[in-house]
Amino acid sequence: MSKIKFGTDGWRGIIARDFTFDNVRLVSQAVADYVNSLGIAERGLVIGYDNRFLSDKFAEAAAETMAENGIPVYMTETFTPTPLTAFAIKECRTAGAVMLTASHNPPEYNGIKFIPEYAGPALPYITEKIEKNIRSLETSEKMNPENKSRAEIKKINPFPAYKKHLAEIIDFDIIRRAGLKVVIDPMFGCGIGYLEAILREAGVQPEVIHNNRDPLFGGGMPEPSQKLLVEMKDRVLAGKANLGLALDGDADRFGIIDSNGEFITPNMFLPILYYHLLAVRQWRGPVARTVATTHLLDHMARHYNLEVEETSVGFKYIGQCLMEKDAVLGGEESGGLSIKGHIPEKDGILATMLAAEIVAHHGLSLTQMMEKITDLFGKLYSERLDIKTSPAEKERIMDMLGKLAPDNLAGQKITGKVTVDGLKLVLESGAWVLIRPSGTEPLFRVYVEANSIEEMRKLQAEIKGVLGLD
């Protein structure tokens, strides 16, 4: 059995091997101890769950543990997206939430995460305290609480309030007037029924695929990537739809297919959205992005004399900027985003509705919007490479990264070095390279952004050579 450790967004493990009822109760008890230590347990906790294998039963085990600790439980009536579970914290004014989900992981995984009272991902100092509680519980003879009166478990449905909130921050009227044709794909995940209901509220009758519960996710995994959205692309082209909108397994990340069948990457959509917020909504404020996300956002912020907040990878840091830096938009290249006025948690439903608003308002496809933005702010090319290594080779490269300080790369002077998460080298042309090790396997992620495809390929080859990964 592997050690229980919280990653970028909670703890995940293989069902029956690591992710067991005993371990769910253990983690739940550690969360209960943390909440009790803050003196806010009487406010209760929301418990939500996705539609993976046994998620509802794992959620019941978590709820029972909280109730036994005297913590009132507000448990969702049915499978619920992560952003709705987070939203319910604000709606019910609880001390936080526990979400049972493994997000976009393969079907053999499940997971659990704690969402604090601010309704965004738990920051490291919080998960470190929970992990410390887990270690203490593992070595104690008795885990069950003593002298605690059992609290009540209530069932809730956060969707009506969430839908009303979205209608206040998304222009449903302009979507309704545009008469959009939309295909949606919840990828067999717990976003089933939610996005289509919201679109119908905005006057859109979407075509829906993969909207039945399947814990095996159709034999794949619920990740809204280009290679896994082929059927949605075909439906968009065949039906001459304006948009294809997809959600991952717990509906906190998004995937978009444009009317021409092009996959709109998060590194494309974030600048489109930022432009819309600045030019149409006339919002002003910083944009928050992770160290691995496009610098096209920087070009736009510079044009409007606005700040950029660069964070480590992980939406918890983006959420912190939304709360503390008054950022109007926060996003990451892996498909998470949120905006001012919403919860500081990534939300795929919000993202896809914003895409519909943009197309409806501008009367342009997202590809055409991207062309407009690159005409104004320049064009950049981004790509991520996942490079597998042996454990020994990973250790060698990790040691090298700590000492690596070249003056030049691919014939260009290095003008900046960022070490908030991995090693990022910024070149005189504005191009950059980021090398990040995986926290769980012998693998490195190499991100490159450049001004041309040729420059990007040259930098990719160069950095692989420097690291000895040819």
Side-chain angles (χ1 to χ4, degrees):
M1 185 182 295
S2 60
K3 183 178 180 181
I4 296 174
K5 187 169 178 60
F6 282 65
T8 55
D9 202 13
W11 169 61
R12 296 173 191 173
I14 293 176
I15 298 169
R17 189 187 74 184
D18 307 309
F19 202 86
T20 63
F21 283 99
D22 284 347
N23 277 341
V24 167
R25 291 187 185 96
L26 174 62
V27 173
S28 299
Q29 183 61 51
V31 171
D33 290 346
Y34 171 74
V35 173
N36 271 311
S37 74
L38 299 178
I40 56 175
E42 73 281 355
R43 290 164 53 182
L45 288 171
V46 175
I47 294 185
Y49 55 95
D50 65 13
N51 57 3
R52 286 173 177 264
F53 181 64
L54 288 178
S55 278
D56 56 339
K57 303 302 180 186
F58 287 129
E60 288 173 5
E64 289 291 330
T65 302
M66 299 307 170
E68 289 166 2
N69 279 268
I71 301 173
V73 173
Y74 300 84
M75 187 168 176
T76 59
E77 291 177 341
T78 185
F79 57 82
T80 306
T82 291
L84 270 78
T85 300
F87 180 81
I89 297 171
K90 296 294 188 182
E91 186 68 15
C92 299
R93 299 181 181 180
T94 67
V98 171
M99 180 69 191
L100 278 296
T101 182
S103 189
H104 59 282
N105 278 42
E108 63 268 26
Y109 282 82
N110 213 322
I112 184 170
K113 61 182 176 179
F114 175 64
I115 307 172
E117 81 285 348
Y118 52 78
L123 288 163
Y125 80 91
I126 296 174
T127 54
E128 285 166 8
K129 289 178 180 178
I130 294 171
E131 285 178 353
K132 185 178 179 181
N133 289 347
I134 291 170
R135 303 287 89 81
S136 296
L137 289 165
E138 286 174 329
T139 57
S140 67
E141 293 183 4
K142 196 168 187 178
M143 190 179 82
N144 294 331
E146 294 181 358
N147 302 319
K148 289 281 186 182
S149 58
R150 181 183 169 85
E152 186 180 1
I153 299 175
K154 298 179 180 178
K155 293 293 182 72
I156 63 167
N157 178 9
F159 188 43
Y162 174 86
K163 186 166 59 173
K164 180 182 177 184
H165 167 71
L166 272 199
E168 293 168 353
I169 61 173
I170 302 288
D171 193 338
F172 279 25
D173 288 337
I174 203 162
I175 295 172
R176 189 175 291 110
R177 290 196 298 270
L180 299 180
K181 292 183 68 176
V182 177
V183 179
I184 62 177
D185 183 0
M187 305 193 80
F188 304 105
C190 68
I192 292 169
Y194 292 93
L195 178 55
E196 52 259 52
I198 293 169
L199 281 168
R200 290 189 183 106
E201 190 96 352
V204 178
Q205 299 300 321
E207 178 185 353
V208 189
I209 62 174
H210 304 148
N211 62 333
N212 60 290
R213 181 184 180 229
D214 179 1
L216 296 178
F217 303 111
M221 55 193 288
E223 182 177 24
S225 61
Q226 183 173 6
K227 67 180 181 180
L228 295 177
L229 296 179
V230 174
E231 184 178 346
M232 187 172 77
K233 171 185 173 179
D234 292 343
R235 298 289 188 103
V236 167
L237 292 173
K240 297 182 179 179
N242 300 95
L243 284 168
L245 305 173
L247 303 171
D248 77 338
D250 66 330
D252 67 349
R253 299 198 307 159
F254 66 93
I256 301 174
I257 299 291
D258 201 14
S259 57
N260 63 354
E262 183 174 352
F263 179 71
I264 303 298
T265 68
N267 270 343
M268 296 167 67
F269 184 65
L270 286 168
I272 293 170
L273 175 55
Y274 194 37
Y275 176 79
H276 180 72
L277 297 177
L278 295 172
V280 175
R281 295 196 180 187
Q282 296 291 304
W283 287 5
R284 292 295 180 269
V287 61
R289 61 160 179 77
T290 65
V291 69
T293 302
T294 180
H295 283 207
L296 186 51
L297 294 166
D298 302 48
H299 295 188
M300 300 170 73
R302 192 158 49 242
H303 175 84
Y304 286 93
N305 197 29
L306 298 170
E307 296 295 318
V308 175
E309 300 291 337
E310 184 173 55
T311 76
S312 298
V313 172
F315 203 83
K316 49 182 168 276
Y317 305 110
I318 296 295
Q320 191 174 18
C321 289
L322 289 164
M323 291 186 290
E324 299 175 5
K325 303 290 186 179
D326 202 27
V328 300
L329 168 65
E332 52 188 358
E333 59 81 35
S334 57
L337 70 78
S338 191
I339 62 172
K340 180 179 72 172
H342 193 49
I343 53 173
E345 175 66 271
K346 56 184 179 287
D347 188 344
I349 298 172
L350 169 77
T352 52
M353 289 303 296
L354 284 165
E357 177 187 310
I358 290 167
V359 170
H361 185 279
H362 295 272
L364 299 172
S365 69
L366 293 180
T367 305
Q368 291 169 331
M369 284 294 299
M370 195 66 205
E371 290 172 356
K372 180 177 181 179
I373 288 165
T374 55
D375 285 344
L376 291 170
F377 305 105
K379 188 171 179 64
L380 297 175
Y381 298 83
S382 309
E383 191 171 77
R384 185 184 94 182
L385 301 178
D386 289 351
I387 303 174
K388 293 184 177 181
T389 66
S390 66
E393 196 173 23
K394 181 179 180 180
E395 189 174 338
R396 174 187 66 79
I397 296 169
M398 289 289 291
D399 184 61
M400 180 188 296
L401 286 180
K403 304 170 184 174
L404 195 62
D407 295 323
N408 294 273
L409 192 65
Q412 289 193 56
K413 184 179 178 182
I414 292 172
T415 58
K417 182 178 178 180
V418 181
T419 57
V420 296
D421 193 340
L423 175 65
K424 183 174 184 178
L425 302 173
V426 183
L427 283 64
E428 56 188 339
S429 69
W432 55 269
V433 174
L434 169 67
I435 308 107
R436 289 184 66 245
S438 166
T440 57
E441 54 187 319
L443 179 145
F444 283 88
R445 293 185 172 91
V446 177
Y447 305 79
V448 176
E449 184 167 76
N451 301 289
S452 67
I453 292 177
E454 293 75 22
E455 184 183 31
M456 183 175 73
R457 297 289 178 239
K458 188 175 181 181
L459 286 169
Q460 287 171 338
E462 182 86 1
I463 200 66
K464 285 196 288 184
V466 168
L467 298 176
L469 292 172
D470 287 333

